[in-house]
């Protein structure tokens, strides 16, 4: 089959992983970025800043959206794919109609709660199938719009990127810590991590607090983000006492894998929209062979066995007790991490997810 994948260009790189998995399954695949959030290059950094400054952000984003949608239409007309998998919630209605007219099957695979994006809800009826990264995102309205063709399908991991690695001594020292966290900075995470500084905590993915950053935040103003607004997590304070724990800002997944391999315990702090589901990081940490403590309040949805494959916590006191226990008993850590590792490789790669998707749609 010919697949066209449309993904946002962000640090998670799930578009890359689906693209590789599709080829591994013997399909022809083409990947397009439906939005551009690459920040690890100079050009990407400048684009990112342009989107955020209030006096140019609106005009810049409209121009960027117009160019991206135009490119997608040109691509789908030329490529004529059998299946299109879209992960961008803000494509124009005209673009989605054009994709539909030039393909055999149009799929949306949601990595965020679709209710956060009115433009997506307004165009879901155009799609043939909808797959959600969390089961509670599939509302009665969505099932009605999709004529009962909405399904739960979590993301997975790429074992080409996340895997067990033997690091040189200098890399182990650089990336290792008794307790590590890799992820975006949100106010709820600041509160939790500020209570763990006595455990030699290492934080990756954050910028240190300083006067220049405070001035920039003041000039930029409050950023409107539907996810942050919905869950109340966007008003980070840049707590100075966390500076000592911050090891690096932008962290790609190659580096993240080294961090996981070099750390005794990896914290997996769920985003509030995923608190009853299982996020991609769960699979990625497990695929690296690392032991994780997972902030999770629901069951594991049949993906892992709770506490024997993935150890969960739901309060800061529970977390602190488990950190102390598992730092003291490394053999127990390794046994649990190894079970999660084997389960992940046998059930939770992106190739597994695409097979499941194609079974559902008959591809």
């Amino acid at each position: 089959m010919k697949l066209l994948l449309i993904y946002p260009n962000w640090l998670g790189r799930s578009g890359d992983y689906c693209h590789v998995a599709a080829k591994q399954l013997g399909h022809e695949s083409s990947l397009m970025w439906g939005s551009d959030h690459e920040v690890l290059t100079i050009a990407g950094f400048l684009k990112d800043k342009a989107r955020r400054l209030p006096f140019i952000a609106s005009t810049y984003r409209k121009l960027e959206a117009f160019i991206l949608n135009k490119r997608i239409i040109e691509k789908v007309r030329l490529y004529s794919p059998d299946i299109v998998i879209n992960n961008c919630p803000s494509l124009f209605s005209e673009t989605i109609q054009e994709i539909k007219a030039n393909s055999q099957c149009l799929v949306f695979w949601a990595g965020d709660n679709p209710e956060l994006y009115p433009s997506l809800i307004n165009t879901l009826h155009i799609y043939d199938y909808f797959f959600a990264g969390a089961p509670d995102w599939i509302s009665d309205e969505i099932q009605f719009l999709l004529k009962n063709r909405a399904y739960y399908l979590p993301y997975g991991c790429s074992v080409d990127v996340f895997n067990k690695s033997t690091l040189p001594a200098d890399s182990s020292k650089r990336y290792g810590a008794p307790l590590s966290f890799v992820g975006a900075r949100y106010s709820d995470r600041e509160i939790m991590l500020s209570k763990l500084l006595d455990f030699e905590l290492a934080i990756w993915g954050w910028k240190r607090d300083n006067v220049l950053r405070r001035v920039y935040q003041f000039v930029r103003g409050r950023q409107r983000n539907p996810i942050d607004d919905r869950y109340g997590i966007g008003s980070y304070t840049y707590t100075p006492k966390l500076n000592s724990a911050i090891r690096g800002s932008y962290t790609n997944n190659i580096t993240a894998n080294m961090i996981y391999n070099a750390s005794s315990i990896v914290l997996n702090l769920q985003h509030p929209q995923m608190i009853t589901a299982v996020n991609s990081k769960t699979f990625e940490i497990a695929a690296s062979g690392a032991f994780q403590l997972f902030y999770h309040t629901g069951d594991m949805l049949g993906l892992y066995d709770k506490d024997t494959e993935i150890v969960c916590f739901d309060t800061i006191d529970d977390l602190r007790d488990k950190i102390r226990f598992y730092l003291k008993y490394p053999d127990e850590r390794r046994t649990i991490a190894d079970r999660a590792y084997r389960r992940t490789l046998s059930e939770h790669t992106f190739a597994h997810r695409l097979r499941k998707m194609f079974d559902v749609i008959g591809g």
Side-chain angles (χ1 to χ4, degrees):
M1 291 186 297
K2 292 175 66 176
L3 306 180
L4 176 61
L5 310 178
I6 305 172
Y7 273 76
N9 190 6
W10 67 297
L11 290 174
R13 313 310 299 177
S14 52
D16 287 326
Y17 305 151
C18 279
H19 180 56
V20 171
K23 290 186 173 183
Q24 290 172 342
L25 293 175
H27 303 294
E28 182 181 339
S29 178
S30 182
L31 172 63
M32 285 201 72
W33 300 120
S35 59
D36 184 5
H37 297 291
E38 178 61 76
V39 294
L40 298 181
T41 63
I42 294 176
F45 176 83
L46 294 175
K47 288 180 184 178
D48 184 64
K49 298 309 176 189
R51 292 186 199 98
R52 298 171 185 270
L53 293 174
F55 44 90
I56 63 173
S58 178
T59 300
Y60 181 86
R61 290 183 180 186
K62 288 178 181 178
L63 176 62
E64 184 180 52
F66 174 80
I67 293 172
L68 288 168
N69 276 265
K70 184 174 182 291
R71 288 175 180 170
I72 290 169
I73 290 174
E74 291 171 351
K75 176 66 176 183
V76 75
R77 286 175 176 171
L78 179 66
Y79 190 59
S80 297
D82 297 310
I83 299 175
V84 176
I85 302 174
N86 181 29
N87 185 241
C88 296
S90 55
L91 295 187
F92 299 160
S93 177
E94 297 81 1
T95 303
I96 300 170
Q97 294 280 9
E98 193 68 29
I99 295 172
K100 175 77 169 179
N102 287 275
S103 63
Q104 300 300 312
C105 183
L106 177 57
V107 174
F108 193 92
W109 192 3
D112 292 314
N113 188 341
E115 293 182 357
L116 300 172
Y117 302 97
S119 61
L120 173 60
I121 296 296
N122 292 336
T123 56
L124 267 184
H125 65 281
I126 305 173
Y127 289 84
D128 297 301
Y129 292 90
F130 174 82
F131 294 90
D136 55 1
W137 297 349
I138 303 175
S139 63
D140 291 341
E141 178 188 9
I142 287 177
Q143 283 289 20
F144 175 79
L145 291 171
L146 272 295
K147 300 178 181 178
N148 293 318
R149 292 194 298 267
Y151 302 89
Y152 168 55
L153 187 67
Y155 279 14
C157 67
S158 167
V159 294
D160 295 325
V161 177
F162 294 97
N163 47 60
K164 288 185 179 181
S165 303
T166 301
L167 301 181
D170 58 339
S171 295
S172 293
K173 182 178 181 180
R174 178 180 179 184
Y175 296 111
L179 182 67
S180 294
F181 170 75
V182 180
R185 186 169 192 160
Y186 297 122
S187 57
D188 59 330
R189 293 175 177 178
E190 286 183 331
I191 293 169
M192 183 172 291
L193 295 179
S194 66
K195 298 176 182 179
L196 302 175
L197 293 174
D198 53 320
F199 288 110
E200 296 184 62
L201 171 67
I203 301 173
W204 298 84
W206 295 15
K207 295 179 180 178
R208 290 183 176 89
D209 188 19
N210 56 53
V211 173
L212 289 178
R213 286 203 56 75
R214 290 179 182 272
V215 171
Y216 169 71
Q217 292 295 321
F218 176 79
V219 172
R220 187 183 75 175
R222 184 176 184 273
Q223 300 296 289
R224 304 297 299 182
N225 182 305
I227 299 176
D228 296 352
D229 290 348
R230 167 81 174 253
Y231 297 102
I233 59 170
S235 55
Y236 23 75
T237 59
Y238 291 94
T239 311
K241 69 178 181 178
L242 288 172
N243 280 354
S244 61
I246 296 174
R247 295 274 194 94
S249 53
Y250 294 119
T251 303
N252 64 32
N253 285 341
I254 301 298
T255 302
N257 185 61
M258 291 191 286
I259 295 166
Y260 299 156
N261 273 273
S263 300
S264 300
I265 296 175
V266 179
L267 289 179
N268 182 358
L269 304 183
Q270 284 271 59
H271 191 286
Q273 68 170 335
M274 295 289 290
I275 198 64
T276 60
V278 177
N279 62 2
S280 298
K281 196 167 291 183
T282 308
F283 310 119
E284 294 167 352
I285 297 170
S288 73
F291 174 82
Q292 62 184 294
L293 290 175
F294 184 30
Y295 183 36
H296 189 69
T297 61
D299 62 36
M300 298 299 290
L301 303 171
L303 300 170
Y304 294 100
D305 293 332
K306 201 169 187 177
D307 295 329
T308 60
E309 293 178 327
I310 301 289
V311 178
C312 302
F313 68 93
D314 57 8
T315 67
I316 187 64
D317 291 336
D318 183 30
L319 172 59
R320 289 183 61 84
D321 288 344
K322 286 176 176 173
I323 292 171
R324 292 190 192 96
F325 177 84
Y326 287 107
L327 284 177
K328 187 176 180 180
Y329 296 102
D331 290 342
E332 185 70 13
R333 288 200 316 264
R334 284 191 287 268
T335 298
I336 294 171
D338 191 54
R339 292 191 194 112
Y341 172 79
R342 293 196 302 269
R343 182 82 177 263
T344 302
L345 267 60
S346 65
E347 298 181 20
H348 299 314
T349 68
F350 271 103
H352 290 110
R353 299 298 184 252
L354 288 181
R355 285 195 192 99
K356 177 65 175 179
M357 180 185 291
F358 298 155
D359 286 344
V360 170
I361 67 180

